[in-house]
Amino acid sequence: GRWSGLQCCLMTVSASVTYDAATRIATLTPAAALSTGSTYTVVVKGGNALTSVQDLAGNAFVGPYTGGETYTIDKGDPAVASLLRQDPLTSLTNADAVTFRVTFAEDMQNVDTGDLALALTGTAAGTVNAVNPQSASIYDIVITGVSGDGALGLSFQAGNDIQDLAGNPLGAGPSIGTAETYTIDNTA
């Protein structure tokens, strides 16, 4: 049959379908950008859909078809829900090591020490030493060798490769809901 389009939210998005007979894969290409978070229904029109749509054994489609897989199209930018002090919980500290808990808004992948950077003021210093996953969306970041005086926060490297499970990159300047810092005081 001929491809008509995707239907969502009382509107139709035109699309085209190509089919590779060798791999038996049909590829749907929308003519316009799809809205994040919307659900689309595929509508096939034209031709004789009841005889031209067949399974791998060559059996013709017997309608109506009411079941099947559901796919989610994730085009949204990943975000950081919070970046909080984990150990110690208080801002003011002279600890040699501190831990931040990073909570992403969704499950993420490729989170490692090379993706993170410290945001420092004054003479505060430290090293991103470890990333300890608590789940696919929650990571504890351990900073060691903490010294000096000033603010110590956490940020993301410009070239980080953190991404959500759909492959959308976090980027260097992600949206961050709540961000806390430590106040390092080794002179008091």
Side-chain angles (χ1 to χ4, degrees), residues 64-155:
Y65 184 69
T66 58
E69 296 182 42
T70 300
Y71 296 91
T72 301
I73 298 171
D74 180 356
K75 294 179 64 178
D77 292 332
V80 178
S82 63
L83 199 159
L84 304 176
R85 295 182 297 270
Q86 181 67 17
D87 184 27
L89 292 171
T90 58
S91 173
L92 185 62
T93 185
N94 64 356
D96 295 336
V98 298
T99 301
F100 287 96
R101 175 158 287 176
V102 178
T103 301
F104 294 99
E106 61 186 304
D107 290 352
M108 302 297 280
Q109 56 190 347
N110 306 327
V111 181
D112 58 50
T113 58
D115 297 317
L116 303 158
L118 296 179
L120 305 166
T121 66
T123 60
T127 302
V128 178
N129 181 271
V131 173
N132 298 319
Q134 304 303 304
S135 71
S137 64
I138 300 174
Y139 297 81
D140 286 349
I141 313 302
V142 180
I143 313 302
T144 58
V146 176
S147 63
D149 297 304
L152 185 150
L154 193 63
S155 64

Side-chain angles (χ1 to χ4, degrees), residues 5-27:
L6 298 171
Q7 290 183 343
C8 170
C9 318
L10 302 176
M11 65 179 193
T12 299
V13 177
S14 296
S16 62
V17 173
T18 55
Y19 179 73
D20 183 330
T23 62
R24 295 185 175 187
I25 295 175
T27 303

